[in-house]
Amino acid sequence: MKKAVIVGGSNGIGLAICNNLIAKGYFLEICDRSIPEDGKLDTNSFHFNYCDLSVFDESVFIPLAEDLDVDLLMITAGIGRVADFQAHHLVEIDKIITVDTISTIKLIHIFYSRILSKKTFYAGVMGSISGWMSTPAAAVYAAAKAGIVRFIESVNIELELAGTDNRILDVSPASFKGSKFYGGKNDLTITSPLADQIIEHLFARDTRFIPEYEETFKAVLERYHDDPHEYGLHSYQYKKDSGRIDNSKKVKIGYLSGTFDLFHVGHLNLLRRAKEQCDYLIVGVHESGKWKGKETFIPLEERKAIVGACKYVDKVVDSCREDSDAWDLWHYDKLFVGSDYKGTERFVRYEEYFKDKGVEIVYFPYTQGTSSTQIRKTVMMKTNENKE
Ligand code: CTP
């Protein structure tokens, strides 16, 4: 049975492409963060693989690339934002470039021996018209899409020189409706005609498809090339006038602090749960356990290095005297802590302090059976037993 891999197939144009391919008799390997909405696709026609391109996991894709029944790869997953550059948080820049450019190129690399072979293989990526010209008020998105568009253009030459007829299709539309991209809803009646056109170009093994090129975008691109500066000014004003620029803060920053002496699974559980609830996790490490009347075994710099190496942690800092002082520095949205702190004088005070600051305090279940104190005690006990 013919199989197709659709990365980002649960929503928007990816979902419409899935529908089209199912009608053509394909079985789909859908790779996405969420499962297609109920009723949108025939459940016997696809298999769902969880993937999040912002944290690339090649183990999801390698078996699919090795499956010789797969003869089609379409990457439609992408993120972007219409906002002034200064409204982007560093972590957002990272995410956009990682998903739209780096992970997409890695994915192509995983499937590249299939594309490079003489056997027919269909490959395509959703680029964007933003990759073909300047896009003020979406500068990071434009950079990411320009990266992928130039990559595809370059690698298609290598494919041609290698003697295969397979190509990578760059689908570069302007914004379109019927997807969740700009906060809309999945509407297959809108996206299906575009999906049909994309599939046609994919099967023709074309290199580039700009929807509505002759009608609209040929002239738009010409205007841009004639006078990029004038075009850019006009493009910014148009977005502004149509109310599409959204400079609100999008990234959820999380913060937690601890001593992290003798790193244990209770620490790990806390960090994992915290990262599940924010985009960027900052961890403050206390200089010592003195404030709790406890001794620490591991020096501060080593504890910081250990916590920083944990994949859930984005940034490690020296903790402040109070987590409320750390808020002045990091303006975090969520403060995490183990449930053993609920009702303590410190956290009652924080709840009061953060009440009108839009900061949520999240208490996670304390992991029973372990703590730095417990480990210290056990080690001491064993050492004393051995001495006796
Ligand atoms: N924590 C947890 N489960 C554990 C131990 C700690 O959820 N079994 C959480 C704490 O609630 C705190 C964070 O981990 O939010 C960091 O605490 P830290 O003081 O480093 O951990 P402890 O192991 O509790 O240290 P100690 O025994 O020295 O007090």
Side-chain angles (χ1 to χ4, degrees), residues 11-288:
N11 288 296
I13 192 67
L15 184 67
I17 287 173
C18 287
N19 243 320
N20 179 308
L21 290 172
I22 290 173
K24 287 192 166 53
Y26 268 95
F27 181 83
L28 306 179
E29 292 286 352
I30 296 179
C31 306
D32 208 319
R33 282 183 305 175
S34 57
I35 300 174
E37 270 171 54
D38 260 359
K40 295 278 184 201
L41 293 180
D42 170 6
T43 46
N44 296 318
S45 308
F46 72 90
H47 171 245
F48 176 76
N49 307 271
Y50 175 82
C51 83
D52 178 352
L53 291 189
S54 65
V55 277
F56 192 75
D57 178 2
E58 62 194 39
S59 67
V60 177
F61 304 108
I62 289 172
L64 300 176
E66 285 171 352
D67 181 345
L68 294 181
D69 288 338
V70 171
D71 74 351
L72 189 152
L73 166 71
M74 183 71 209
I75 306 168
T76 68
I79 48 172
R81 178 167 181 213
V82 182
D84 289 324
F85 179 54
Q86 75 266 26
H88 290 72
H89 186 276
L90 284 185
V91 71
E92 217 179 348
I93 296 173
D94 215 319
K95 257 194 168 173
I96 294 173
I97 309 266
T98 301
V99 172
D100 295 355
T101 319
I102 300 173
S103 294
T104 303
I105 293 176
K106 284 183 182 170
L107 251 164
I108 300 276
H109 194 267
I110 289 172
F111 282 82
Y112 199 59
S113 60
R114 303 290 311 279
I115 305 171
L116 199 55
S117 95
K118 301 267 186 311
K119 216 170 149 218
T120 303
F121 194 90
Y122 308 106
V125 175
M126 288 305 279
S128 164
I129 197 79
S130 297
W132 290 94
M133 57 196 190
S134 57
T135 314
V140 179
Y141 179 65
K145 289 299 184 183
I148 196 65
V149 156
R150 284 289 170 269
F151 164 76
I152 295 172
E153 204 176 32
S154 310
V155 101
N156 273 330
I157 301 294
E158 293 189 30
L159 286 168
E160 184 182 323
L161 295 177
T164 172
D165 292 330
N166 296 329
R167 296 287 181 274
I168 302 165
L169 174 68
D170 158 25
V171 182
S172 276
S175 68
F176 55 87
K177 295 208 163 54
S179 85
K180 288 186 168 173
F181 201 79
Y182 291 112
K185 274 191 180 158
N186 286 323
D187 185 343
L188 287 166
T189 56
I190 301 176
T191 45
S192 286
L194 178 59
D196 296 348
Q197 287 178 302
I198 292 171
I199 302 283
E200 250 176 60
H201 287 278
L202 202 56
F203 285 144
R205 289 185 281 176
D206 289 338
T207 53
R208 182 177 166 195
F209 168 45
I210 297 180
E212 293 172 54
Y213 182 69
E214 287 301 333
E215 307 89 302
T216 312
F217 290 102
K218 190 167 181 250
V220 170
L221 283 167
E222 273 167 14
R223 272 210 319 275
Y224 161 66
H225 285 293
D226 285 350
D227 191 343
H229 173 246
E230 192 53 40
Y231 177 85
L233 289 173
H234 175 266
S235 156
Y236 187 88
Q237 198 58 40
Y238 176 75
K239 287 202 202 72
K240 198 169 175 197
D241 293 345
S242 58
R244 280 174 56 204
I245 301 179
D246 175 6
N247 285 337
S248 61
K249 187 173 156 222
K250 293 283 184 238
V251 167
K252 284 255 170 294
I253 300 175
Y255 180 83
L256 62 88
S257 68
T259 313
F260 297 100
D261 194 30
L262 305 170
F263 195 91
H264 53 71
V265 77
H267 293 139
L268 190 64
N269 288 340
L270 177 81
L271 297 172
R272 191 189 64 250
R273 287 174 178 140
K275 181 64 182 190
E276 280 166 7
Q277 291 206 20
C278 65
D279 300 300
Y280 193 74
L281 181 62
I282 302 173
V283 179
V285 180
H286 302 312
E287 192 189 349
S288 72

Side-chain angles (χ1 to χ4, degrees), residues 298-348:
I298 312 292
L300 173 66
E301 286 312 315
E302 291 179 21
R303 281 180 279 125
K304 280 172 70 180
I306 292 165
V307 171
C310 173
K311 67 177 178 180
Y312 306 118
V313 177
D314 295 294
K315 191 180 182 73
V316 181
V317 295
D318 289 319
S319 71
C320 293
R321 226 188 118 72
E322 296 281 356
D323 291 342
S324 45
D325 298 337
W327 186 77
D328 293 337
L329 292 177
W330 308 110
H331 284 94
Y332 51 80
D333 304 283
K334 292 188 176 195
L335 173 62
F336 303 107
V337 70
S339 53
D340 50 321
Y341 282 90
K342 185 146 181 88
T344 58
E345 181 277 327
R346 196 168 137 227
F347 273 80
V348 168

